[in-house]
Amino acid sequence: QETEPKAGRLFFAITNLRFTPDGEGAKQMREIGIEKVVFASQIPFKYPEASFLRVESLPLTPEEKERIYSRNIMELLGIPLA
């Protein structure tokens, strides 16, 4: 299993993507690839709940949310997945 960080990959923080509660945010994430989106809380500058609500309010599958919350960043940093 690979444990080195992946070089040359572009990722988007959830806070930098356009947010609309009508599903356009989820559509945008799927267009760029869910595997390229990572969770960002913006602590200490903003309340972390806002970022959680952003993810939870989108019509995403549990697997897509799991990728955004943890799997994508673990893969980027080369952290072995359980």
Side-chain angles (χ1 to χ4, degrees):
Q1 184 166 339
E2 188 175 321
T3 58
E4 291 296 317
K6 299 188 187 237
R9 291 181 61 190
L10 178 63
F11 282 79
F12 299 86
I14 188 81
T15 54
N16 293 339
L17 298 175
R18 184 170 40 100
F19 172 74
T20 59
D22 60 3
E24 281 299 311
K27 180 181 173 190
Q28 179 187 21
M29 284 186 234
R30 288 187 181 111
E31 286 174 357
I32 63 170
I34 290 289
E35 70 281 356
K36 296 179 182 177
V37 179
V38 295
F39 182 78
S41 66
Q42 294 189 314
I43 291 174
F45 305 108
K46 295 189 178 189
Y47 292 106
E49 291 83 1
S51 293
F52 284 106
L53 289 173
R54 179 176 285 210
V55 175
E56 291 303 317
S57 68
L58 292 170
L60 299 169
T61 67
E63 293 79 18
E64 290 172 324
K65 290 178 183 179
E66 190 264 339
R67 285 203 72 86
I68 291 167
Y69 282 134
S70 62
R71 184 169 290 276
N72 291 340
I73 195 68
M74 290 174 70
E75 289 175 359
L76 175 66
L77 297 176
I79 297 170
L81 303 169

